[in-house]
Amino acid sequence: MSVLKWLSVVIALLSAVVVTGLLLLTTGRAGTPIAVGYPTIALIAAGLGLLPGIVLWLVAASYEAELRRTITCTEALEEDGPPQLFRSCFGFGPLLEAHQRTVETLGSRLKRMADQRLDLEVELRVAEGRRQHLEAILNSISDAVIVTDAFNEAVLANEAAAHLLQFDLDPALRQPIEHIVADPTLVKLIKDTRESSYAGSRGRRRHIEHRMGCNGRVTVYDVTLTCVASSPTGANTNRADGSGPFLDVGAGVITILRDITREKEIAEMKSEFVSSVSHELRTPLASIKAYMEMLIDGEAADEQTQAEFYHIIQAETTRLSRLIDNILNLSRIESGVVRVQRKQIALAPVVKEAVDIMQPQGRAKQITLEERPCLAAVQVLADRDMILQVLLNLMGNAVKYTRAGGHITVVLSADENERLARIAVIDTGVGVPQPDLPHLFEKFYRVVSHRKLAEGTGLGLNLVKHVVESVHGGSVSVTSEIGKGSAFTFALPMAENG
Ligand code: ADP
């Protein structure tokens, strides 16, 4: 029961007591005869006294009813929309209307906020998608990329950078560059580039060749440093009072490290190759020219000397044409325009021919050349000239890298199980250091310590590999021991009925 109702009960009781008391007092004092007894008077008086209480009770009840209805309507506002307005004696109608307006305003505000939230969620998803896309692009780049901001902190980096500079990608972000890059020169380069942006070099690219030691090996990098605005607010802005530019803290640096070690090596090899080739071409040419002039001038008086001169000229011409053949065949195979005349051939005669061709060179260096033919007739499906050139290259090398008194053996064998014909050129020469072995068949590759021993181009073995593997589907291999000699072997698939 509400306070109002309690109040009405109290008022009813009080007023009943007061009215009854007053009536009894006045009747008794006047001494007027009364037609009715005291109890009746008391009842009437109590009834009259109760009247205000009852009225107040009724008002309180109706007030409470309206209040409850207003509360119910207010509660229903959000779900059911506009309320059912009712006539209120206590002014709840306008209150309900005010509630309705407030709810409507709040509702539209909430709707706007929900829409904005939805937009933001979409934008967030798009931004996340873009970030992942950018990350995927960055990580697909094999060059190391690292982006630093105006405070020289790393803000972006790819996996190649993490691998090269040996840091963990996620924890490295927002770290000062000197904490994640151990190379002080690189750190200085990045910082200098950022500072140079104040001198107006923003957007300009710097290329620097930088060497870094990694796993005991020096690697050469082409470092590209570009100074960019790291945020849209980073651009020079004038103060509102026109007092000049703010301190420009917005410049960041994009650093890209590209491994150019191999490129440098190849460039070096190429220039060495050009000088070797010119030397290789010039030496036999000079010799041919000299002997021809002597013959023309009649300096070779007797027939024996003349024959000797002709032999020298022939040998030098063969050497010259072999070099030119090597260069041409290699470029033809590489460009895919080589014409292969594949026929079923017996290998033993090719080996014999190669040994015969190389005998004079061997004799000149006091090296004995020997062939060990296979008992079975070994036949392959191959281009005879190309296989001869492979043999001449291997044997030419064996002669070049074997000292006087050495021995060269060419062994032909057949592996019936694997249906492979094998030819091994075994020498007792200087041998190849173990670290060089995996690179011997690379183009322009020459063992450094062998350069003093003989002139060369680094093309011969590369051509051997191309002819055997790419053209004939065979394989090449080498074993070697320093000071003891080398064995270069190539295997070719045997012909079906070979
Ligand atoms: P080059 O013209 O220099 O001989 P090759 O491609 O034929 O070029 O050989 C590459 C390198 O392999 C040579 O420079 C040499 O160092 C090494 N090499 C090749 N054959 C032998 C061998 N029989 N013994 C020792 N080293 C060899």
Side-chain angles (χ1 to χ4, degrees), residues 397-398 400-401 427 431-432 440 445-447 450 456-461 486 488:
N397 279 345
K400 271 203 292 192
Y401 302 106
D427 63 52
V432 179
L440 280 194
Y445 195 85
R446 302 200 67 216
V447 177
H450 290 175
T457 54
L459 285 180
L461 287 184
S486 315
F488 286 81

Side-chain angles (χ1 to χ4, degrees), residues 425-446:
V425 179
I426 305 161
D427 63 52
T428 56
V430 292
V432 179
Q434 288 299 315
D436 292 292
L437 282 177
H439 305 288
L440 280 194
F441 293 94
E442 287 171 14
K443 206 169 169 183
F444 308 129
Y445 195 85
R446 302 200 67 216

Side-chain angles (χ1 to χ4, degrees), residues 274-289 316 319-320 323:
V274 171
S275 73
S276 307
V277 164
S278 11
H279 185 270
E280 290 262 299
L281 289 173
R282 221 177 291 126
T283 316
L285 265 179
S287 154
I288 293 167
K289 193 168 169 244
E316 292 297 332
R319 184 173 150 195
L320 208 57
L323 175 67

Side-chain angles (χ1 to χ4, degrees), residues 132-142 157-160 169:
Q132 284 176 359
H133 187 61
L134 188 70
E135 221 173 73
I137 294 174
L138 263 185
N139 286 335
S140 71
I141 299 172
S142 54
N158 67 354
E159 282 165 5
L169 211 48

Side-chain angles (χ1 to χ4, degrees), residues 337-351:
V337 295
V338 66
R339 285 185 45 196
V340 187
Q341 308 247 311
R342 222 178 294 240
K343 284 191 193 133
Q344 187 159 326
I345 54 162
L347 279 179
V350 190
V351 173

Side-chain angles (χ1 to χ4, degrees), residues 193-204:
T193 307
R194 198 189 76 79
E195 268 150 33
S196 69
S197 72
Y198 302 125
S201 67
R202 181 172 297 181
R204 215 178 293 154

